[in-house]
Amino acid sequence: MYASFFVRPAQQERIETVVELRPETRPALLGTAVDDNAKPIADALAVLYESGGGGQPDRTVAAQYTDELGRFAFAPLEAGKLYLVRIFKSDAKLRMLEQGE
């Protein structure tokens, strides 16, 4: 079930609403990245690929970093498609590449 709406409150305004939920039929993937001690891994890169199958290359669909509780979510997905999820975590330091003129 889902619902969505926009709201832009004005100063000193109190807004009341009734939300009618509709059935959600689209698949979603929700996960948590944890270490060997079941401790959540924050800032790991979760990448979702659509599987190429039959020797074809996988196609990147989405990517995001896990939150402070190690959580990630990909939605909506397409029913019946094969997806691959890879989680990357490295302690390597990121360095910006400077290009000369």
Side-chain angles (χ1 to χ4, degrees), residues 24-29 48 61 73-79 83:
E24 175 60 78
T25 59
R26 298 172 300 176
L29 172 65
L48 177 70
V61 176
F74 295 111
L77 302 178
E78 192 172 325
Y83 293 95

Side-chain angles (χ1 to χ4, degrees), residues 38-82:
K39 181 181 173 188
I41 301 173
D43 298 316
L45 179 61
V47 183
L48 177 70
Y49 301 91
E50 182 181 321
S51 177
Q56 297 297 315
D58 298 332
R59 183 178 68 85
T60 304
V61 176
Q64 62 180 253
Y65 286 95
T66 57
D67 67 9
E68 64 278 357
L69 299 176
R71 298 176 300 196
F72 62 91
F74 295 111
L77 302 178
E78 192 172 325
K81 282 206 173 183
L82 181 61

